[in-house]
Amino acid sequence: MKAKAQESAMTTYSIPDMSCGHCKATVERTVQTLDPAASLTFDMPARKVTVQSQARDADLRQALAAVGYPATPL
């Protein structure tokens, strides 16, 4: 019997410390480490990112905090 695939969820996060291209690349790499198929849309002036991923919210936030970018779901 096949295991049921986890549903993909879309969440927007505020990441106040995300201010440059390096920050964006680090956030993207971190999320895609947890879910290589994740889709990210950045709003750099607002310091927000929208993530479409099958990874759990808690796992995403923990991984982002570990690399120096604490994220708050909006």
Side-chain angles (χ1 to χ4, degrees):
M1 184 173 220
K2 282 187 176 179
K4 184 179 176 184
Q6 185 173 339
E7 295 282 322
S8 181
M10 183 179 293
T11 306
T12 299
Y13 297 97
S14 171
I15 305 179
D17 296 334
M18 182 178 67
S19 61
C20 67
H22 178 266
C23 300
K24 177 183 173 187
T26 300
V27 167
E28 188 167 32
R29 186 172 46 252
T30 300
V31 170
Q32 290 182 334
T33 296
L34 293 173
D35 178 3
S39 171
L40 292 85
T41 305
F42 291 88
D43 181 348
M44 293 302 289
R47 298 182 182 190
K48 296 178 185 175
V49 61
T50 300
V51 178
Q52 174 100 29
S53 175
Q54 291 185 359
R56 292 182 332 129
D57 172 67
D59 293 340
L60 290 170
R61 288 188 290 122
Q62 181 178 13
L64 288 167
V67 296
Y69 296 98
T72 304
L74 299 175

